[in-house]
Amino acid sequence: MLKLNLIVIPDHECFISRRYLTYYSKMSTRNVSIIITSYNDPRILDLVEKLTDESILEIIIADGGSGPQLMQKLDSISDDRVRVLVLPGSVAETRRQVQDQIKGEIAVFIDTDEMPCEGWLDRITEPILKNEADFVFGPTKPFRTSDNRITFYIDRYDQWFYENILPADISKGAMGNSAWRAEIFHRVFFNPKLTMGGEDYDFTLQALNRGYKGAYAKDAFVYHDQGSINTLRKFMKKKFRYMVGASIAYRDNGSLMSGIGKSSRNSRKFDDPLEILVLIMKPLALFCSMLIFPRICRRKSGRNPSA
């Protein structure tokens, strides 16, 4: 049975002075590596521009094989803290390769469809710097107002998830908007066989099983742009792939049955008609994770995740 090591970090007080925050930022984040996994997403340019304002060691762009136009723009970034690494493959494969390239004492992950709020880097790294946790997850907020039924569901579900699920179960955190003590990457490895998704669940479960402590910092939020998932087909495809990957991750870490129980209870608690469709997909995803996709994954990748 997986034992969850969880700390919830309270909101920052609003009266902390700007002078203190500036000093704290310069002193605490100079050994931070920020990692962005990218694939043909031009939004990364605005994200990098925002992040270069931070006092950090490096920004690693782990590109999974973007087209020449975007790569030319990435290569033209003049900030010498920005490293562009071409690491072709799925998100899991790219993250497995980039984890060996991290130079900082803390590794912070953010995705190309996210944009940090002011003070985000201080807040997501503070529990680690204070030795209150070994890794930290933060929440997301909608980047813009939902303009269709699918994005409305996604944004509403995310709000419910970060208010009710992640504070109680830190194993559910997503790699985007997270911070990690860099030593973890010498003992825990992304599984490149999880090409369907769920590699972040797998990584977190491994870390917890090795005794590392996780924290949820509810004020360390990023704005999440999920406007591209605007049709039922796109929603079902993304959701199903992630369900399959998550099922494999929980099975491989000995937490499948507890994960199934929690997932079923959560679906019944979230009140939205689309959640009925999600609940129907879950048994099929579990079936595929146990009988079909492990064979596909083995054929696609013969690499040992701990190699």
Side-chain angles (χ1 to χ4, degrees):
M1 181 67 68
L2 178 67
K3 182 179 179 181
L4 298 179
N5 301 307
L6 172 65
I7 303 168
V8 177
I9 307 301
D11 287 333
H12 282 231
E13 297 295 338
C14 296
F15 55 76
I16 296 179
S17 70
R18 181 181 299 273
R19 179 181 178 185
Y20 172 79
L21 282 176
T22 302
Y23 172 79
Y24 186 83
S25 175
K26 290 180 179 178
M27 292 301 293
S28 64
T29 61
R30 64 181 184 272
N31 288 321
V32 167
S33 297
I34 296 181
I35 298 95
I36 311 168
T37 305
S38 174
Y39 180 73
N40 279 330
D41 190 343
R43 292 174 293 187
I44 190 174
L45 299 173
D46 291 334
L47 175 59
V48 171
E49 183 179 1
K50 173 78 171 177
L51 293 174
T52 52
D53 291 337
E54 301 284 356
S55 175
I56 53 175
L57 177 65
E58 62 179 352
I59 298 172
I60 303 175
I61 299 173
D63 190 90
S66 296
Q69 287 187 332
L70 181 57
M71 289 304 301
Q72 185 177 11
K73 292 179 180 178
L74 292 175
D75 289 335
S76 67
I77 296 174
S78 58
D79 195 310
D80 60 7
R81 296 173 299 170
V82 178
R83 289 198 288 151
V84 181
L85 305 179
V86 180
L87 306 171
S90 66
V91 174
E93 291 169 326
T94 299
R95 284 177 171 163
R96 172 63 190 95
Q97 295 175 78
V98 78
Q99 74 176 102
D100 298 328
Q101 305 294 325
I102 297 169
K103 297 179 180 178
E105 295 178 1
I106 297 176
V108 176
F109 286 77
I110 189 169
D111 292 337
T112 55
D113 57 358
E114 297 173 335
M115 186 64 67
C117 68
E118 291 299 322
W120 162 76
L121 189 61
D122 292 318
R123 296 167 185 171
I124 198 72
T125 57
E126 183 178 9
I128 299 174
L129 293 164
K130 289 184 174 180
N131 290 318
E132 296 172 341
D134 301 303
F135 62 91
V136 185
F137 292 117
T140 66
K141 293 186 178 182
F143 186 79
R144 59 173 62 89
T145 303
S146 303
D147 56 3
N148 67 73
R149 181 67 181 86
I150 302 300
T151 54
F152 175 78
Y153 164 86
I154 294 172
D155 290 342
R156 185 167 167 261
Y157 176 84
D158 283 355
Q159 179 182 356
W160 176 83
F161 172 83
Y162 286 114
E163 290 176 354
N164 297 278
I165 303 302
L166 191 56
D169 185 356
I170 204 66
S171 72
K172 300 287 189 181
M175 192 59 58
N177 195 20
S178 68
W180 301 77
R181 202 179 296 278
E183 68 178 60
I184 296 175
F185 295 95
H186 299 295
R187 300 187 65 202
V188 179
F189 301 90
F190 288 105
N191 186 346
K193 294 188 292 185
L194 291 174
T195 56
M196 297 288 291
E199 77 289 339
D200 41 8
Y201 280 180
D202 179 74
F203 192 89
T204 304
L205 289 166
Q206 290 185 65
L208 289 167
N209 283 332
R210 286 184 175 272
Y212 290 108
K213 290 183 179 180
Y216 172 58
K218 62 183 179 181
D219 57 336
F221 66 89
V222 296
Y223 296 101
H224 198 182
D225 182 5
Q226 303 187 83
S228 60
I229 312 173
N230 53 11
T231 67
L232 186 61
R233 181 177 179 274
K234 291 179 180 178
F235 167 74
M236 291 180 64
K237 180 180 179 181
K238 183 178 179 69
K239 195 77 171 178
F240 183 76
R241 287 175 62 90
Y242 210 84
M243 284 180 184
V244 173
S247 297
I248 295 173
Y250 274 92
R251 184 200 65 200
D252 288 353
N253 287 276
S255 306
L256 181 60
M257 296 312 296
S258 63
I260 291 173
K262 291 176 183 178
S263 181
S264 299
R265 289 192 295 271
N266 293 339
S267 291
R268 292 194 295 270
K269 290 177 183 177
F270 183 61
D271 183 20
D272 189 286
L274 273 177
E275 196 64 19
I276 298 174
L277 180 60
V278 173
L279 190 59
I280 293 172
M281 285 195 294
K282 286 182 177 180
L284 179 59
L286 177 62
F287 172 79
C288 290
S289 72
M290 297 180 71
L291 298 179
I292 300 175
F293 287 105
R295 300 170 190 171
I296 296 175
C297 290
R298 282 195 292 270
R299 287 199 298 269
K300 285 186 176 181
S301 176
R303 284 179 288 175
N304 186 337
S306 61

